[in-house]
Amino acid sequence: MQIRYRTSTLHLEDMPLDIGYASEKVTLKNPAGELFSIGGHNGFTQLIVTAPFIDDEFLTQLGEINTLLSLNALDSISKSVAVATPKDEEVELEGWQYGVDYDEAFGDYYGIRLAKGELGGEFAKALFIISKDGALFYNEILDDLNKPFTLERALPKIAAAMQCYTGKGCH
């Protein structure tokens, strides 16, 4: 997959996890050094967003996601931001867990690590929805790092993921 950033063309190191496959539970480390898990079968719908950098536009879009989820009574889901490397700036994301892929498990399993070159080793800008039974229900991996997520497509997918739980795990 080719991804644009400014005048560069970037590539993913691996193939991204496909919709319908079981997601893997992985551990991230928050800025306080505490570990927490995301992905996998945990009985909750999960929204996971990744990015190579956190800028004002990205923070604005997270705020928009919070607003849309709240307005549509979908704010009971687990929301996480995962990055490949620690960011220098203090990151505070209201209502979101924030974590670094300290052991590289998330980037490897979900296939969103950027290959060598500009931003090499960082994550692509991506949005994952994992259903309550642990299946990857929806993903959006942007082909341009400066574009926003397509929230009008993601919102119905979040609602559907919350309703499809069978209690039997991914099948």
Side-chain angles (χ1 to χ4, degrees), residues 127-140:
L127 181 147
F128 297 96
I129 299 169
I130 298 172
S131 64
K132 294 177 184 180
D133 60 1
L136 180 59
F137 200 82
Y138 173 82
N139 68 6
E140 180 179 11

Side-chain angles (χ1 to χ4, degrees), residues 57 59-70 148-149 151:
E57 290 178 32
L59 294 173
T60 297
Q61 187 146 49
L62 291 182
E64 291 170 3
I65 292 170
N66 281 342
T67 300
L68 285 172
L69 292 174
S70 180
F149 295 112
L151 299 179

Side-chain angles (χ1 to χ4, degrees), residues 69-123:
L69 292 174
S70 180
L71 289 173
N72 290 280
L74 299 172
D75 50 357
S76 63
I77 67 171
S78 168
K79 300 177 295 187
S80 303
V81 172
V83 296
T85 57
K87 306 303 173 204
D88 293 333
E89 67 276 358
E90 183 68 28
V91 179
E92 288 190 33
L93 308 171
E94 187 175 333
W96 294 77
Q97 296 182 92
Y98 169 77
V100 176
D101 186 24
Y102 72 98
D103 63 359
E104 300 184 358
F106 184 87
D108 291 344
Y109 188 81
Y110 288 80
I112 45 86
R113 187 180 319 281
L114 295 170
K116 293 180 181 177
E118 188 173 10
L119 298 176
E122 297 291 345
F123 290 161

